[in-house]
């Protein structure tokens, strides 16, 4: 079986390939239908990030979880947490291959996507959005988890 050429490779990791079955429709999509990771490379599984600080007490102390109301601001906080993890591991947004987005209100999707574009630029990892009842702290409206791939040379 021969694999087809990818639409594009990640600029930071040639082992990550964006798959677009109808490339001319890419402009309509804020995510890739699929991402191919060619081995050898390691994977980084990033736990769910909310607008809460990464390090906080458990059980939760509500004063540590003062969330802004706007979905854009909550998304930015979650993305900054993830950015700190990527930076720590020497990775960039274009090393991310999968994003799972949890929203408490699906109507927040467009605001969330606009902030994700600020970070990802034209890179579109594979993605799933799930609407859920509630998150771990009152007022949190978004949680993001991601999978990133290390370049083979790392």
């Amino acid at each position: 079986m021969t694999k087809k050429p990818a639409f594009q490779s990640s600029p930071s990791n040639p082992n990550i390939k964006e798959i677009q079955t109808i490339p001319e429709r890419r402009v309509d999509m804020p995510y890739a239908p699929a991402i191919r990771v060619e081995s050898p490379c390691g994977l980084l599984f990033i736990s769910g990030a909310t607008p809460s600080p990464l390090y906080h007490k458990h059980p939760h102390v509500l004063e540590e979880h003062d969330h802004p109301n706007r979905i854009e601001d909550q998304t930015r906080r979650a993305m900054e947490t993830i950015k700190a993890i990527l930076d720590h591991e020497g990775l960039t947004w274009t090393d991310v291959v999968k994003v799972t987005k949890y929203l408490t209100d699906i109507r927040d999707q467009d605001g969330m996507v606009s902030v994700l574009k600020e970070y990802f630029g034209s890179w579109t990892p594979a993605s799933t959005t799930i609407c859920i009842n509630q998150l771990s702290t009152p007022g949190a409206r978004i949680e993001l988890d991601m999978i990133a791939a290390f370049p083979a040379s790392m």
Side-chain angles (χ1 to χ4, degrees):
M1 178 188 247
T2 305
K3 59 186 168 203
K4 292 188 176 187
F7 175 75
Q8 71 174 347
S9 295
S10 163
S12 60
N13 187 340
N15 295 314
I16 301 172
K17 312 287 186 183
E18 179 181 340
I19 305 304
Q20 292 285 346
T21 58
I22 306 174
E24 59 275 12
R25 293 296 307 272
R26 184 181 188 274
V27 297
D28 300 323
M29 299 280 280
Y31 60 89
I35 293 285
R36 183 171 69 223
V37 178
E38 297 177 348
S39 293
C41 69
L43 296 176
L44 177 68
F45 295 83
I46 301 173
S47 297
T50 69
S52 295
L54 175 58
Y55 290 98
H56 55 267
K57 292 182 176 73
H58 291 87
H60 289 156
V61 175
L62 289 182
E63 292 75 31
E64 290 185 307
H65 304 273
D66 184 22
H67 309 305
N69 190 46
R70 293 180 65 240
I71 192 62
E72 293 85 355
D73 297 331
Q74 288 203 16
T75 303
R76 225 170 257 108
R77 281 190 179 182
M79 292 295 280
E80 286 298 316
T81 294
I82 292 166
K83 182 181 182 314
I85 294 166
L86 291 171
D87 288 349
H88 183 269
E89 293 298 307
L91 298 173
T92 69
W93 294 108
T94 55
D95 295 313
V96 173
V97 298
K98 176 71 166 92
V99 179
T100 306
K101 303 167 285 194
Y102 304 89
L103 292 170
T104 59
D105 187 338
I106 202 67
R107 294 171 294 185
D108 286 337
Q109 185 167 339
D110 290 339
M112 173 200 61
V113 167
S114 70
V115 173
L116 294 180
K117 281 184 174 229
E118 293 173 17
Y119 290 84
F120 284 109
S122 64
W123 183 245
T124 53
S127 176
T128 301
T129 303
I130 303 165
C131 189
I132 60 171
N133 234 3
Q134 64 185 29
L135 290 163
S136 59
T137 57
R141 296 166 54 189
I142 185 168
E143 185 163 346
L144 303 168
D145 70 57
M146 299 188 190
I147 301 171
F150 289 95
S153 62
M154 290 184 86

